[in-house]
Amino acid sequence: MKNNRFLLLAAFLFTTIFCAAQTAKTAQTLDSALTYLHQRQLFNGTALVADNGKVVYKKAFGTANIATGEPLKTTSAFNLASVSKQFVAMTLMMLKEQGKLNYDDEVRQYLPEFPYEKITVRHLLTHTSGLPEYFDPVMKYLHSTDTVENTHILQLLVDHKPSLDFQPGERWQYCNTGYVLLPLIVEKVSGQPFEQFFQQKIAGPLGLKDTYVYHLRLGDSPKNRVYGFHRFEGSTVPDDLGRFDGLDGDGNAYSSVEDLLKWEQSLLTEKLVTKATMQEAFNPVKLNDGTTHGYGFGWGIDDDGNTLSHTGGWAGFRTIIVRVLDKKQTLILLGNDANHYHLIVGPKILKGETFELPKTQLIRNVRLVDGTGLPARMASVRLVNDRIREIGELQPLPGEPVTEGNGLVLAPGFIDSHSHHDWSLADQPDAIACVSQGITTIVVGQDGGGSLMDTIEASFKKQPVAVNLASYTGHTTLRRMAMGGMGALFRQATPEELEKMKTLLDEEMKKGSFGLSTGLEYESAFYSNREEVLELAKVAAKHEGRYISHIRSEDTELENAVDEIISIGREAKLPVQVSHIKVSIKSKWGYSRWVINELQKARAEGIDITADCYPYDFWQSTLRVMFPKRDYDNPASAQYAVTDLVDPAGSYLVRFAPQPEYAGKSLTEIAALRSETPAQSLLWLVAEASKYEETHAGENVEGVMGKAMSEEDVRNFLAWPHTNICSDGSTGGHPRGYGAFTRVLARYVREQKLLTLEQAIHKMTGLTAEHVGLKYRGLIAPGHYADLVLFNPDTVQDNAVIGNNRALSTGIEAVWVNGEIVYRNGKAEGRLPGRLLKR
């Protein structure tokens, strides 16, 4: 018996010592992490860790009030934001124990004017009421000078009765509105203002000297109240109470880390309510269908009920309380500088999980061109992980990596709104053709082609890449899936096939496609009618997507093609974009002014029509597009092609599988080798390619670069305010794949001064993001993703030309994608941080 007692005592001592060691390690790790964050201006606040109610770590970092410089203390009272909700829930539990209300009573029983039936007190407590958030009605109906009060919210519901998001109890959806109504119920039942009830029934009995409800209706601030702030352009600015802060319930309870520990420990006792009542607050809410969700009365519930927590965020305040029941550990972190990193790191440290601290870096002394079109300015830019944190006169933080800009231009990473660079990403994941000219995001699925979203996502998982990628869904891709192989596409779709295409597109839009793309000049889509395209565009519009089109003709039927895309924008009611806008027929050179005039008239009508353009007077496509009537054996059409559509001496084969040695030669040179006219050689080339395709299905057989546009038209299209820059490029053939963006900067900004530097960069970044529908890309602004390019405007130059189409540009010094440098000093860095972007 004595031996058993000895063993039990030894086991107890070992467990105690082990737990104490673990707790000490937690405290040490947390202190190290918070110190790191504070040094990098990512945490200003207080922290506390307790083991079985005993404080093992508490510390204050930084300032309570930036106006006075008052330092924080562990007794400083922070706005708890949504952590306030657990206090509100307690007031309801106390009234329930007093027999003054029941959780399943309808709200109307206490607030008779409340306009919704079947919503109960329990629904409000557990975020299952279906009520919409109150923010939108307040912004819509109240004046901007009004200080919003709880009674205002109730009256807005009475006056306007916004529709419920779902039927009460049907699902869980976090909702501040419910917790604004609950204090009104407390006041009605108790006969006291909510803040008085709280003070008398909770703060007073528990001895919480730093805990109270405070809002703007209560007058002067308590002396120990902490004020929120955030950083802006290198300085700290107030970020505290505003017009919404005449409210209580969903926030505006204040407390310190020391008081919150007393509060948390009281929940283990019966000082406020019985243990049975308290336990009900920690039960996951049961929905109408019998399923549950991990939220009780003001507490989030995880790990099968073993972890209870809640976070809060309002103005500059970011707060969290975590209780791990089996370890009897408590974590409380209160911040007032608008940062959230402690909310992520703290719980992981408490649970002994692996974590990563945010990484900062500084790009210093740059000429900042931010993508908006505004004039450049000298500044520095700080990044945190993959985002831009701040811009201004910034100094390096302790241990912070610094890139010296030396007065060079820092711009948002260029966005290629029409790209085929995805064709080579599997073999060249460093995307050297893109990043070497400053491109950080490519938009694919162009000209009606491309892959489905699931396929693209799978390829990203299999092979990470250096650039971001967004995709449209191709019209031709849909036609092939619904109508059959290539030979089945030279006709209009049947109604049944069109319905199948619409269903497929609807699924793709749900998976994140940015919209519908067409290549109507190509055979595989040329035979579709307007109605087919319009019906598909309407599917994209239903999902707030977009339509981008290689229009049906860029030469002989240009007028009808322009009318078609304008009509689609008008009738489908979605943004439409003309791909690689051009006039590629000699007899219509100068028509750029007519085209732009038509597009401007459409915009004045309310149609959101735009364009993208690459800076070259020759295109790349198939030999067949030189036959507008699709009569590939007609000598007259071949003669027309080499006389009016292209200059045969300046038009070069990119590839020709039947005779590979013809690649790189012009139509005139091939004709000379064959002792033919260029028209005769064109007929032969098309016929030989067709024969070859019969036995080599799916192979990329031929391609040609056709010199077809006038420089005046190119300049006019580039200058139109609603044109953004694209490459339409890939890693083979046309030099645009390696040089489109740097060519604009060298030729049309520095040499010809068609565009200012700020205008050109806007057309490569902010405007493009707007045209594609990309969020948090295309600008250098706090909160945006850190896609950046550093370059020398005096030396930036495209070097890719016909015959040396893969020559890298010069003058691009460094490129960041999602905060990681992927290209520097003329070389890829080997990092692959690109992401699949979804609508």
Side-chain angles (χ1 to χ4, degrees):
M1 189 67 176
K2 289 182 179 179
N3 287 339
N4 288 340
R5 288 177 180 171
F6 176 78
L7 290 173
L8 288 171
L9 178 61
F12 172 76
L13 290 173
F14 174 79
T15 301
T16 302
I17 293 169
F18 177 77
C19 290
Q22 288 295 103
T23 303
K25 182 180 179 182
T26 297
Q28 183 180 9
T29 304
L30 182 64
D31 183 65
S32 176
L34 294 180
T35 299
Y36 172 93
L37 292 175
H38 181 64
Q39 289 175 343
R40 282 153 183 78
Q41 301 171 343
L42 299 176
F43 178 66
N44 189 97
T46 58
L48 183 146
V49 176
D51 189 352
N52 199 20
K54 180 181 179 181
V55 175
V56 295
Y57 175 77
K58 67 176 179 179
K59 193 169 181 179
F61 298 81
T63 307
N65 185 341
I66 60 171
T68 64
E70 178 187 349
L72 281 169
K73 303 174 183 177
T74 55
T75 55
S76 298
F78 288 70
N79 189 328
L80 299 180
S82 286
V83 173
S84 305
K85 290 179 170 67
Q86 57 198 249
F87 288 116
V88 177
M90 177 58 76
T91 63
L92 275 296
M93 290 189 284
M94 297 174 82
L95 291 171
K96 190 260 186 185
E97 276 204 349
Q98 295 170 17
K100 295 182 178 180
L101 60 74
N102 290 303
Y103 300 139
D104 295 316
D105 292 340
E106 287 197 22
V107 173
R108 292 162 66 113
Q109 182 173 331
Y110 306 101
L111 305 175
E113 65 271 48
F114 184 67
Y116 304 94
E117 297 179 352
K118 299 181 180 179
I119 294 180
T120 66
V121 173
R122 187 187 299 274
H123 289 139
L124 301 186
L125 283 166
T126 57
H127 302 292
T128 56
S129 67
L131 288 168
E133 284 285 7
Y134 64 79
F135 301 105
D136 286 344
V138 166
M139 298 299 287
K140 186 174 183 180
Y141 298 113
L142 296 187
H143 195 274
S144 60
T145 60
D146 292 333
T147 298
V148 183
E149 303 178 15
N150 296 59
T151 53
H152 288 153
I153 305 305
L154 176 58
Q155 195 60 46
L156 286 173
L157 296 177
V158 172
D159 292 343
H160 303 285
K161 197 178 181 181
S163 299
L164 296 178
D165 291 340
F166 53 87
Q167 290 303 303
E170 187 175 80
R171 67 176 192 259
W172 186 90
Q173 177 176 284
Y174 195 83
C175 179
N176 289 285
T177 308
Y179 272 83
V180 170
L181 297 174
L182 287 170
L184 296 177
I185 295 175
V186 172
E187 292 181 352
K188 189 68 174 287
V189 173
S190 70
Q192 291 180 280
F194 177 76
E195 61 269 14
Q196 289 183 15
F197 184 89
F198 173 82
Q199 194 65 36
Q200 290 180 12
K201 302 298 183 181
I202 296 178
L206 296 180
L208 306 180
K209 297 179 180 180
D210 306 314
T211 302
Y212 45 82
V213 171
Y214 174 75
H215 47 71
L216 294 179
R217 291 180 284 130
L218 295 177
D220 294 338
S221 294
K223 290 183 179 180
N224 72 336
R225 182 171 89 82
V226 173
Y227 291 75
F229 69 91
H230 69 259
R231 289 187 63 80
F232 177 74
E233 295 200 345
S235 301
T236 53
V237 295
D239 192 359
D240 200 65
L241 303 185
R243 61 177 296 219
F244 282 88
D245 290 302
L247 294 168
D248 52 29
D250 64 333
N252 287 333
Y254 282 74
S255 190
S256 66
V257 289
E258 294 189 16
D259 268 7
L260 281 175
L261 178 62
K262 295 177 184 177
W263 153 255
E264 185 269 338
Q265 286 296 295
S266 77
L267 305 181
L268 303 174
T269 71
E270 296 191 333
K271 290 180 180 179
L272 300 178
V273 294
T274 65
K275 290 184 178 180
T277 296
M278 195 68 245
Q279 184 55 47
E280 189 167 3
F282 303 144
N283 291 333
V285 59
K286 183 177 288 188
L287 304 178
N288 294 345
D289 62 3
T291 61
T292 61
H293 185 87
Y295 196 93
F297 297 168
W299 286 93
I301 304 164
D302 296 297
D303 302 329
D304 295 325
N306 188 51
T307 301
L308 305 173
S309 66
H310 212 292
T311 60
W314 181 247
F317 297 95
R318 303 292 184 270
T319 61
I320 188 169
I321 182 170
V322 183
R323 306 173 66 208
V324 181
L325 301 185
D326 61 350
K327 295 182 179 179
K328 298 181 180 180
Q329 291 183 330
T330 310
L331 169 70
I332 303 164
L333 297 171
L334 306 177
N336 65 320
D337 64 344
N339 280 299
H340 65 280
Y341 300 101
H342 57 288
L343 305 184
I344 300 170
V345 171
K348 289 182 178 292
I349 293 173
L350 186 69
K351 295 180 181 181
E353 299 174 354
T354 58
F355 65 94
E356 288 188 14
L357 290 170
K359 296 179 176 62
T360 71
Q361 57 178 301
L362 184 67
I363 308 171
R364 188 164 62 174
N365 187 30
V366 296
R367 182 181 168 196
L368 185 71
V369 182
D370 63 10
T372 63
L374 292 175
R377 59 178 171 132
M378 294 304 296
S380 296
V381 178
R382 174 164 286 119
L383 315 183
V384 177
N385 291 341
D386 59 351
R387 302 264 186 159
I388 297 164
R389 171 168 167 74
E390 57 183 338
I391 303 161
E393 295 183 10
L394 311 175
Q395 297 302 317
L397 299 172
E400 183 174 51
V402 176
T403 298
E404 290 291 348
N406 296 316
L408 298 181
V409 169
L410 185 72
F414 305 149
I415 302 170
D416 190 350
S417 65
H418 186 117
S419 174
H420 300 284
H421 288 99
D422 54 321
W423 298 345
S424 61
L425 287 179
D427 297 325
Q428 298 179 23
D430 61 7
I432 191 70
C434 299
V435 296
S436 61
Q437 56 177 311
I439 296 170
T440 58
T441 297
I442 60 174
V443 186
V444 303
Q446 302 290 349
D447 300 322
S451 302
L452 299 182
M453 291 300 297
D454 286 346
T455 302
I456 297 171
E457 190 152 22
S459 68
F460 253 73
K461 290 178 180 178
K462 182 179 180 181
Q463 175 58 71
V465 298
V467 293
N468 304 310
L469 182 148
S471 183
Y472 287 93
T473 298
H475 172 219
T476 298
T477 300
L478 299 174
R479 293 190 107 227
R480 284 175 174 163
M481 295 177 70
M483 299 171 64
M486 186 68 178
L489 304 184
F490 304 151
R491 60 177 175 83
Q492 295 180 8
T494 65
E496 293 77 17
E497 290 166 340
L498 178 56
E499 284 303 312
K500 186 173 181 180
M501 282 189 265
K502 289 167 66 176
T503 299
L504 290 168
L505 180 58
D506 186 74
E507 293 172 355
E508 288 299 288
M509 295 301 296
K510 291 175 182 176
K511 293 176 181 178
S513 168
F514 278 76
L516 174 70
S517 85
T518 58
L520 299 177
E521 194 170 26
Y522 297 113
E523 295 166 311
S524 51
F526 180 78
Y527 295 96
S528 65
N529 57 26
R530 284 195 184 189
E531 184 66 16
E532 176 182 320
V533 179
L534 175 62
E535 287 302 304
L536 290 171
K538 287 179 178 178
V539 174
K542 182 180 73 172
H543 294 277
E544 299 183 354
R546 294 160 186 269
Y547 174 69
I548 187 169
S549 179
H550 178 140
I551 56 178
R552 205 173 289 269
S553 174
E554 297 170 328
D555 41 57
T556 58
E557 296 296 320
L558 176 65
E559 295 88 345
N560 289 333
V562 169
D563 178 74
E564 179 177 23
I565 192 170
I566 291 172
S567 297
I568 289 170
R570 178 187 297 116
E571 296 179 44
K573 295 180 173 60
L574 83 171
V576 295
Q577 178 145 332
V578 181
S579 284
H580 44 60
I581 191 169
K582 66 174 74 75
V583 177
S584 56
I585 179 171
K586 293 179 183 178
S587 62
K588 293 181 181 179
W589 282 359
Y591 259 51
S592 56
R593 297 181 182 277
W594 175 86
V595 173
I596 290 170
N597 186 56
E598 291 300 299
L599 300 186
Q600 279 294 154
K601 287 193 296 184
R603 291 185 62 82
E605 183 186 330
I607 299 168
D608 185 0
I609 188 164
T610 57
D612 57 31
C613 183
Y614 53 77
Y616 298 88
D617 60 4
F618 55 100
W619 46 256
Q620 179 178 330
S621 190
T622 68
L623 291 162
R624 286 186 175 91
V625 299
M626 289 190 276
F627 290 81
K629 297 179 180 180
R630 305 303 185 263
D631 50 349
Y632 305 119
D633 57 358
N634 186 338
S637 293
Q639 186 61 49
Y640 179 77
V642 298
T643 301
D644 209 37
L645 297 185
V646 297
D647 173 5
S651 300
Y652 292 82
L653 283 187
V654 175
R655 59 189 165 274
F656 191 68
Q659 288 190 229
E661 66 273 16
Y662 280 179
K665 291 183 170 57
S666 71
L667 293 179
T668 298
E669 289 171 332
I670 293 170
L673 289 172
R674 295 179 52 78
S675 301
E676 296 174 332
T677 67
Q680 291 171 327
S681 290
L682 178 59
L683 288 171
W684 180 84
L685 290 167
V686 171
E688 285 299 302
S690 296
K691 292 178 187 177
Y692 190 88
E693 286 171 350
E694 292 175 2
T695 56
H696 297 78
E699 186 175 326
N700 202 357
V701 175
E702 52 90 356
V704 64
M705 289 182 288
K707 186 169 179 57
M709 295 95 84
S710 76
E711 175 67 11
E712 178 190 358
D713 285 335
V714 172
R715 285 170 55 86
N716 287 343
F717 286 133
L718 287 172
W720 188 47
H722 305 289
T723 300
N724 66 261
I725 307 303
C726 74
S727 77
D728 191 20
S730 63
T731 58
H734 202 298
R736 64 195 180 191
Y738 277 75
F741 285 78
T742 45
R743 181 177 173 84
V744 170
L745 295 172
R747 181 179 177 86
Y748 294 103
V749 174
R750 188 175 65 238
E751 296 171 11
Q752 297 188 12
K753 295 179 173 50
L754 175 70
L755 303 168
T756 67
L757 182 64
E758 291 86 351
Q759 288 172 334
I761 289 175
H762 175 57
K763 286 173 170 285
M764 298 175 177
T765 59
L767 185 66
T768 313
E770 180 184 331
H771 288 177
V772 176
L774 294 172
K775 294 182 178 180
Y776 300 106
R777 310 269 175 185
L779 299 178
I780 298 180
H784 277 56
Y785 287 99
D787 297 338
L788 304 165
V789 55
L790 182 70
F791 68 92
N792 188 332
D794 298 325
T795 62
V796 65
Q797 183 67 55
D798 63 305
N799 297 311
V801 294
I802 294 174
N804 188 17
N805 62 298
R806 297 188 180 186
L808 299 185
S809 298
T810 47
I812 300 292
E813 301 298 326
V815 176
W816 290 256
V817 175
N818 297 311
E820 296 189 39
I821 294 183
V822 298
Y823 181 82
R824 181 164 42 190
N825 298 327
K827 295 181 181 178
E829 290 281 295
R831 298 185 183 92
L832 306 174
R835 296 175 186 170
L836 175 59
L837 309 182
K838 297 184 179 182
R839 182 184 45 77

